[in-house]
Amino acid sequence: MRALLMGLPGAGKGTQAERIVKRYGVPHIATGDMFRRAVELGTPLGLEAKRYMDQGLLVPDEVTIGIVRERLLEPDAARGFLLDGFPRTIPQAEALEALLAELGRPLEAVLYIAVPRDDLVERLTGRRICPKCGAIYHVKFRPPRVEGICDICGTPLKQRDDDREEVVVKRLEVNAAQLEPLLAFYREKGLLYEVDGTPPVDEVTQAIFEILDRVK
Ligand code: AP5
Ligand code: ZN
């Protein structure tokens, strides 16, 4: 399966990606996760990415395209992949298309998880993540069994640096501005599937599996 997940910040890409990659056995390639890892490690890429992420801005296309290209050339991506959070601009989408054409492995589906903007601020400001295993929670919609502690590995949960309200508003604005042209790009190619992201997580997962079972 070669697919990508699109949606505004907080739409549920990371939450659904965990489940999709488990079912279809493909690597999860999430540019946001790759940048956060680089920030933690303090690499030159991390230092550069942090300047943009902390302000809710997009990391420049050349940088982002470069890391995705390298990742897609790794051997495990030959069996398929789920891209999450990439592409986010038309130049990124064009670069991806060119690379996949070169590799002879075109995209099979683009899933757009649609959630009204008004719901997203609450989702993002209430999100908590496990710094150890990456599990995603929400104080109201997906609380852990013990408050503030990861169900899976027992680690104390934390808030992402860019989930502070002032950064959230900027992220939504920046991403919304890029969204329509990208949806049009994939709609024109007949690859776009829209999924309603407002029902509970399990229902959204079900709708996604139904689509991917048909196209894979
Ligand atoms: P990235 O990490 O990709 O962040 P994002 O796009 O802002 O998306 P999020 O991870 O915030 O949200 P999500 O859709 O994964 O939602 P989640 O499942 O966690 O990018 C971070 C930054 O990196 C960017 O701002 C940018 O600077 C940079 N970057 C990354 N990619 C880039 C690119 N291609 N180009 C340039 N720069 C790039 O869910 C959110 C919350 O809602 C959770 O608490 C969850 O529990 C809850 N939730 C999920 N589903 C439901 C549901 N159905 N009902 C109720 N609650 C739900
Ligand atoms: Zn954990």
Side-chain angles (χ1 to χ4, degrees), residues 81-212:
F81 52 80
L82 179 71
L83 279 163
D84 161 0
F86 180 94
R88 245 179 250 232
T89 64
I90 293 290
Q92 290 181 14
E94 285 169 345
L96 176 67
E97 192 177 31
L99 172 63
L100 294 178
E102 199 182 304
L103 296 171
R105 294 186 219 136
L107 272 181
E108 293 163 322
V110 174
L111 293 162
Y112 167 53
I113 307 180
V115 177
R117 244 170 110 168
D118 286 351
D119 296 353
L120 296 173
V121 174
E122 188 183 13
R123 284 202 189 178
L124 291 168
T125 52
R127 172 167 54 191
R128 299 293 181 270
I129 54 161
C130 174
K132 190 164 173 212
C133 76
I136 304 167
Y137 299 89
H138 191 281
V139 290
K140 183 164 147 197
F141 304 126
R142 272 193 100 64
R145 284 191 297 270
V146 178
E147 196 185 327
I149 301 293
C150 179
D151 288 347
I152 299 164
C153 70
T155 306
L157 302 179
K158 59 170 247 191
Q159 185 168 32
R160 249 167 67 172
D161 287 342
D162 59 353
D163 280 347
R164 283 171 290 123
E165 190 154 353
E166 55 304 354
V167 186
V168 160
V169 170
K170 186 69 188 170
R171 280 165 62 204
L172 287 171
E173 185 191 308
V174 165
N175 283 276
Q178 305 286 339
L179 184 65
E180 264 316 313
L182 272 179
L183 294 178
F185 182 92
Y186 288 118
R187 195 177 291 124
E188 217 163 86
K189 295 178 192 302
L191 289 173
L192 187 69
Y193 298 85
E194 181 165 332
V195 177
D196 178 6
T198 55
V201 172
D202 291 346
E203 279 177 43
V204 179
T205 307
Q206 222 29 62
I208 290 175
F209 286 174
E210 274 166 29
I211 295 167
L212 291 177

Side-chain angles (χ1 to χ4, degrees), residues 4-127:
L4 64 89
L5 268 185
M6 281 180 54
L8 289 174
K13 301 182 295 295
T15 301
Q16 298 300 333
E18 267 181 40
R19 295 156 169 234
I20 297 170
V21 297
K22 217 177 266 169
R23 178 172 169 109
Y24 297 99
V26 293
H28 176 202
I29 303 179
T31 39
D33 290 347
M34 290 161 89
F35 288 138
R36 275 186 292 280
R37 215 169 301 131
V39 169
E40 254 170 53
L41 294 171
T43 64
L45 169 70
L47 293 177
E48 168 151 30
K50 190 171 163 46
R51 300 208 321 256
Y52 299 94
M53 294 169 82
D54 281 352
Q55 296 177 68
L57 302 174
L58 295 180
V59 176
D61 282 341
E62 322 78 81
V63 177
T64 310
I65 291 167
I67 64 160
V68 173
R69 187 184 167 82
E70 264 178 44
R71 181 65 187 86
L72 284 172
L73 292 173
E74 282 177 31
D76 65 339
R79 66 170 191 268
F81 52 80
L82 179 71
L83 279 163
D84 161 0
F86 180 94
R88 245 179 250 232
T89 64
I90 293 290
Q92 290 181 14
E94 285 169 345
L96 176 67
E97 192 177 31
L99 172 63
L100 294 178
E102 199 182 304
L103 296 171
R105 294 186 219 136
L107 272 181
E108 293 163 322
V110 174
L111 293 162
Y112 167 53
I113 307 180
V115 177
R117 244 170 110 168
D118 286 351
D119 296 353
L120 296 173
V121 174
E122 188 183 13
R123 284 202 189 178
L124 291 168
T125 52
R127 172 167 54 191

